[in-house]
């Protein structure tokens, strides 16, 4: 017996015998059980369904607003076949909505960083009045006047950025206060009256900035396209845009990784001010008079376009392409309801309702992405053959130590 026991021990030491744990119990899979293969049909099917839902939701969120724009155009074209689907109507829409589109692109830049510039409407009014004042009453040449107005818009944007980033004033309050100051400056320049050119009018080269055409389309439409392309390159293809998006996502994290958040925040407001100054020059070329109260009419459409644009192309974040699509659907909708004979108050109703819809869609898109991400995380953490709910409960519950099994008397070595 002793010889057999020593032989068994030597075989176990060399790996030929049954393996035992510290308590003397045999290791291995109990009889009658079988290891479950990694993965499984249920998990694969569940993962596939989640992937399909995520892909479908992504396509709807990305191109849904663009599809709605085309659908709205088809509806108005069928309802107004003689007036709406015409080249004259298309040129009129592109011309009339170019300034709101440019202003929406300008308002979008601070939104990328999670801030809002409510002074864009007041800045537009001051910019176009200042351009008329310099050309008509001060005798400046129109190119120098336009450059001065655009630079002045950039200076106003830097002031907004300093108030928000260094004085730590909320962007709503800071830009609203700045806008009130700009409106006061507009009243001081005009003395509450309109600036009307003399009998010779404005220089034709200045008015051609808005009235001329290119390839049969209004030139302002190409301004919008060029500005959208420039902003797309800055935000999507250059480090500047990546930094701005990181700041808008989590300013504290951006600061911790070394991104100068204050400096880039000022850059965002300065870019918005430059765009507003350019829009003011175009408004002066369009109106050809200085109206001190015209700027506020563009504030709501600008924010509707910027916020609604964050639900398209790049859902969940402000982007130039989505803003252009949002302005297009607003332009088509307004043109359609006006040609159908809507009352004068329908424009405000349409803009306000669309703004509420834009904010609601943006919030829903954010919540949907969070739920989809949480579901995908639970699915990835679930072991084979385990439901996500069971995994969540297992993760939430503390792990209990498993008692070691008692040694079997049959496995104990026999002594002689």
């Amino acid at each position: 017996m002793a010889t057999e026991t020593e032989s068994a021990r030597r075989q176990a030491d060399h790996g030929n015998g049954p393996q035992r744990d510290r308590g003397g119990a045999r290791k291995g899979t109990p009889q009658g059980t079988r290891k479950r293969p990694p993965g499984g049909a249920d998990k694969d099917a569940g993962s596939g369904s989640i992937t399909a839902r995520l892909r479908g939701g992504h396509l709807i969120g990305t191109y849904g607003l663009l599809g709605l724009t085309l659908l709205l155009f088809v509806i108005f074209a069928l309802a107004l076949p003689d007036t709406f689907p015409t080249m004259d109507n298309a040129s009129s829409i592109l011309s009339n909505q170019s300034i709101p589109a440019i202003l929406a692109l300008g308002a979008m830049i601070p939104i990328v960083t999670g801030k809002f510039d409510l002074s864009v409407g007041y800045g537009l009014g001051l910019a176009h009045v200042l351009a008329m004042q310099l050309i008509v009453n001060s005798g400046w040449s129109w190119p120098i006047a336009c450059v001065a107005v655009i630079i002045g818009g950039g200076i106003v944007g830097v002031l907004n950025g300093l108030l928000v980033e260094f004085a730590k004033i909320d962007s709503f309050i800071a830009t609203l206060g700045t806008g009130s100051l700009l409106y006061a400056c507009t009243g001081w320049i005009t003395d509450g009256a309109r600036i009307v050119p003399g009998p010779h009018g404005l220089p034709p080269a200045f008015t051609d900035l808005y009235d001329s055409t290119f390839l049969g389309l209004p030139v302002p439409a190409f301004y919008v396209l060029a500005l959208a392309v420039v902003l797309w390159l800055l935000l999507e293809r250059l480090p500047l845009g990546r930094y701005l998006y990181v700041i808008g996502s989590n300013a504290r994290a951006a600061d911790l990784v070394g991104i100068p958040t204050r400096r880039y925040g000022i850059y965002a407001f300065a870019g918005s001010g430059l765009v507003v100054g350019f829009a003011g020059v175009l408004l002066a070329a369009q109106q050809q008079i200085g109206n001190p109260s015209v700027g506020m009419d563009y504030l709501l459409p600008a924010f509707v376009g910027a916020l609604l644009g964050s639900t398209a192309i790049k859902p969940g974040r402000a982007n130039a392409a989505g803003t252009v699509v949002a302005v297009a659907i607003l332009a088509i909708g307004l043109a359609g309801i006006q040609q159908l004979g809507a009352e004068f108050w329908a424009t405000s109703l349409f803009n306000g309702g669309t703004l509420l819809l834009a904010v609601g869609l943006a919030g829903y898109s954010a919540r949907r992405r969070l739920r989809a991400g949480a579901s995908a995380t639970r699915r990835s953490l679930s072991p084979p053959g385990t439901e996500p709910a069971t995994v969540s409960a297992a993760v939430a519950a503390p792990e209990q130590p498993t008692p070691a099994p008692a040694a079997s008397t049959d496995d104990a070595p026999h002594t002689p």
Side-chain angles (χ1 to χ4, degrees):
M1 295 293 294
T3 304
E4 294 177 357
T5 302
E6 293 176 359
S7 177
R9 289 177 180 176
R10 285 195 298 268
Q11 291 178 359
D13 293 338
H14 289 285
N16 296 328
Q19 297 181 357
R20 305 173 185 271
D21 58 9
R22 293 181 179 179
R26 293 180 179 177
K27 290 184 178 179
T29 305
Q31 295 182 356
T33 62
R34 180 171 53 90
K35 290 185 178 180
R36 188 183 300 271
D42 295 338
K43 183 176 181 180
D44 292 340
S47 300
S49 61
I50 291 179
T51 303
R53 289 198 300 269
L54 291 176
R55 185 181 296 111
H58 175 73
L59 291 176
I60 294 175
T62 303
Y63 303 108
L65 193 63
L66 182 59
L68 183 60
T69 304
L70 298 177
L71 178 62
L72 196 62
F73 180 84
V74 172
I75 291 175
F76 284 123
L78 294 176
L80 302 165
D82 297 331
T83 58
F84 195 83
T86 61
M87 192 62 184
D88 292 338
N89 184 52
S91 298
S92 176
I93 292 176
L94 292 175
S95 178
N96 294 333
Q97 297 301 320
S98 59
I99 294 177
I102 293 174
L103 202 62
L105 290 171
M108 177 208 69
I109 303 175
I111 294 178
V112 171
T113 64
K115 307 296 192 304
F116 293 90
D117 187 359
L118 297 182
S119 67
V120 293
Y122 301 100
L124 178 70
L126 176 60
H128 101 280
V129 163
L130 184 59
M132 293 295 300
Q133 175 71 17
L134 294 177
I135 295 174
V136 174
N137 296 331
S138 299
W140 288 28
S141 63
W142 70 267
I144 298 178
C146 293
V147 172
V149 169
I150 295 174
I151 294 176
I155 294 174
V156 172
V158 171
L159 175 61
N160 285 330
L162 292 174
L163 292 175
V164 173
E165 300 297 339
F166 284 92
K168 296 300 180 182
I169 303 176
D170 184 81
S171 61
F172 279 99
I173 305 301
T175 57
L176 189 60
T178 305
S180 181
L181 295 177
L182 297 178
Y183 188 68
C185 292
T186 303
W188 172 66
I189 292 174
T190 61
D191 198 19
R194 296 184 177 185
I195 300 177
V196 182
H200 298 289
L202 295 172
F206 175 69
T207 57
D208 285 343
L209 292 176
Y210 185 87
D211 293 336
S212 59
T213 60
F214 180 71
L215 298 178
L217 296 175
V219 166
F222 294 95
Y223 298 155
V224 175
L225 180 61
L227 180 60
V229 171
V230 170
L231 291 178
W232 177 79
L233 290 174
L234 291 176
L235 295 177
E236 303 291 342
R237 291 294 182 265
L238 295 180
L240 171 63
R242 299 189 185 99
Y243 292 159
L244 294 180
Y245 278 122
V246 171
I247 293 171
S249 177
N250 192 328
R252 177 60 178 166
D255 198 19
L256 291 176
V257 299
I259 298 176
T261 56
R262 291 182 176 180
R263 185 198 310 170
Y264 283 99
I266 295 175
Y267 289 165
F269 280 101
S272 175
L274 291 173
V275 174
V276 170
F278 177 66
V281 169
L282 288 182
L283 183 62
Q286 178 198 32
Q287 300 284 334
Q288 300 184 15
I289 60 172
N291 189 350
S293 61
V294 73
M296 289 305 300
D297 296 336
Y298 292 86
L299 178 61
L300 185 59
F303 274 94
V304 171
L307 293 176
L308 186 60
S310 64
T311 65
I313 309 301
K314 297 286 185 179
R317 65 179 188 178
N319 63 94
T323 302
V324 172
V325 174
V327 172
I329 193 173
L330 292 175
I332 292 174
L334 288 175
I337 62 176
Q338 288 174 359
Q339 292 184 24
L340 288 175
E343 298 290 340
F344 67 92
W345 44 262
T347 301
S348 299
L349 177 65
F350 184 82
N351 288 331
T354 308
L355 177 61
L356 295 177
L357 179 62
V359 175
L361 287 176
Y364 172 76
S365 177
R367 292 190 300 270
R368 189 176 182 276
R369 287 197 311 276
L370 288 176
R371 288 195 300 266
S375 177
T377 301
R378 287 196 301 267
R379 178 69 64 174
S380 64
L381 292 176
S382 62
T386 307
E387 294 297 329
T390 306
V391 176
S392 301
V395 173
E399 184 178 358
Q400 301 294 335
T402 303
S408 173
T409 57
D410 295 337
D411 295 333
H414 296 282
T415 56

